[in-house]
Amino acid sequence: MDFEFIEKFYPLFVKAGVLTIEIAFLGIVFSILIGIFCMAVKFYKLKFLSKLVDCYVELSRNTPLLIQLFFLYYGLPKLGVSMSGFACAVAGLSFLGGSYMSESFRLGFEAVRKSQIEAGLSIALSKNQLLRYVILPQAFSVAVPSISANIIFLLKETSIVSIVALADLVYVAKDLIGLYYKTDEALFMLVISYLIIILPVSLVLSYIEKRVRNARS
């Protein structure tokens, strides 16, 4: 193991790690918003939109992120729509993650007892108030484990975004291997970088899950 090589090039991984975190953060935030929107569509029973949501979920969950990114980065320009690599990465991650978050919220929504919904309606809560004060808090608490798993999944999926010419962690590792043939050192820095990013998030999410579980018990 060439530690001088590692010392020389680790700043590249720091910079790439920041980019990876930015993409992951935006992708996760938009995924959660998409998931909430999809659940709201189901709650309000908007027939046309509900069918679109069903199609979106099936399309997103049954196509790889790699293919989605290829379409966004190489396919859309053919239709006259150009996006930067960063925008494509965030859009692709949001598109994929939104479907998984949608299913998480749907399961949480189905776990809310009908008696509580009926009780909310009986005290003259509007549908908006019912969704905001009764359904969403309970659905979220039930869905926390699933949402946590989705967040970790999306963090790992950022390893794909190098195909849209983004200098993320995987891109930097492949670049160094191609230039210097230091495979062991590059892969070592790659693994450590992802561990530094994902492990703290995993620990925080586990703590939140325990707090939510204890609050419900």
Side-chain angles (χ1 to χ4, degrees):
M1 187 71 70
D2 188 346
F3 290 101
E4 289 184 3
F5 179 86
I6 292 174
E7 184 179 358
K8 180 179 179 181
F9 289 104
Y10 87 87
L12 293 178
F13 281 87
V14 173
K15 185 177 180 180
V18 172
L19 177 64
T20 298
I21 291 171
E22 289 175 352
I23 293 170
F25 175 77
L26 292 174
I28 289 166
V29 169
F30 287 130
S31 295
I32 292 173
L33 294 177
I34 292 170
I36 292 173
F37 172 78
C38 292
M39 189 193 74
V41 167
K42 293 293 185 179
F43 172 70
Y44 288 109
K45 298 179 180 178
L46 305 175
K47 291 184 179 179
F48 177 70
L49 285 180
S50 292
K51 291 180 180 179
L52 285 181
V53 166
D54 290 338
C55 292
Y56 155 67
V57 170
E58 291 302 319
L59 174 65
S60 177
R61 286 166 62 92
N62 290 290
T63 53
L65 178 59
L66 181 67
I67 303 302
Q68 295 171 11
L69 290 175
F70 269 131
F71 173 77
L72 290 172
Y73 195 69
Y74 298 106
L76 286 184
K78 303 291 185 181
L79 303 175
V81 180
S82 296
M83 298 171 65
S84 67
F86 185 87
C88 284
V90 173
L93 209 62
S94 302
F95 183 80
L96 177 67
S99 62
Y100 283 91
M101 293 295 183
S102 172
E103 289 298 286
S104 297
F105 282 113
R106 181 183 64 80
L107 294 174
F109 171 75
E110 292 177 352
V112 178
R113 295 179 182 176
K114 290 184 179 180
S115 59
Q116 296 192 23
I117 296 177
E118 292 169 355
L121 294 173
S122 69
I123 60 174
L125 289 180
S126 66
K127 274 201 168 185
N128 290 338
Q129 291 173 323
L130 190 63
L131 182 64
R132 179 178 177 183
Y133 297 112
V134 178
I135 295 175
L136 267 181
Q138 294 187 62
F140 183 79
S141 65
V142 171
V144 163
S146 179
I147 292 172
S148 298
N150 290 338
I151 289 174
I152 299 299
F153 165 71
L154 291 175
L155 281 170
K156 294 177 181 178
E157 285 294 291
T158 57
S159 60
I160 303 294
V161 302
S162 60
I163 67 161
V164 292
L166 283 176
D168 72 324
L169 291 168
V170 173
Y171 182 95
V172 170
K174 291 194 299 184
D175 199 35
L176 291 178
I177 291 172
L179 288 172
Y180 301 101
Y181 300 99
K182 296 284 188 178
T183 304
D184 293 341
E185 291 80 0
L187 292 180
F188 174 76
M189 286 189 282
L190 178 64
V191 170
I192 294 299
S193 298
Y194 270 109
L195 192 62
I196 290 172
I197 293 172
I198 295 176
L199 183 58
V201 175
S202 179
L203 293 175
V204 170
L205 291 174
S206 296
Y207 174 75
I208 293 173
E209 285 182 41
K210 290 179 182 178
R211 290 295 301 270
V212 170
R213 193 183 306 120
N214 293 335
R216 291 177 58 206
S217 60

